[in-house]
Amino acid sequence: MHENAKIASANAETFNMFNICMSLQASDGGGGGGDAWRRSCYEALTVCMRSNPFVGEPHLVVAQLYLEDGQWEEAERCAVEGTRLLEVFATSWDK
């Protein structure tokens, strides 16, 4: 597979996984759902971050989940990385 096609495929997979998580959050009325919802979001967003490590939004959503779970250090780590990526690439990927 050509390198550009690989990048496009990884970006599409990442975007789809991000949208799955956001859809789960929206269908739950904002994300207060139970453990199954959280596990699904963490898994989807982890795939996002691994598939395309240059995108900040998944890091920021994971930071929010960590905050809600009281995992302050993990939340800070993800928030810092997410905002760093947004600053470096100066784009809103999920729009």
Side-chain angles (χ1 to χ4, degrees), residues 5-65:
K6 287 180 187 177
I7 292 168
S9 177
N11 193 47
E13 176 186 5
T14 302
F15 193 73
N16 287 336
M17 295 304 291
F18 184 80
N19 282 329
I20 287 169
C21 182
M22 295 299 95
S23 296
L24 289 170
Q25 183 177 21
S27 69
D28 185 51
D35 291 338
W37 175 84
R38 288 191 125 39
R39 275 193 306 277
S40 294
C41 280
Y42 278 121
E43 289 170 12
L45 293 167
T46 298
V47 169
C48 288
M49 292 184 289
R50 287 185 182 148
S51 296
N52 191 341
F54 308 108
V55 175
E57 285 86 341
H59 294 273
L60 297 175
V61 177
V62 169
Q64 180 181 348
L65 293 172

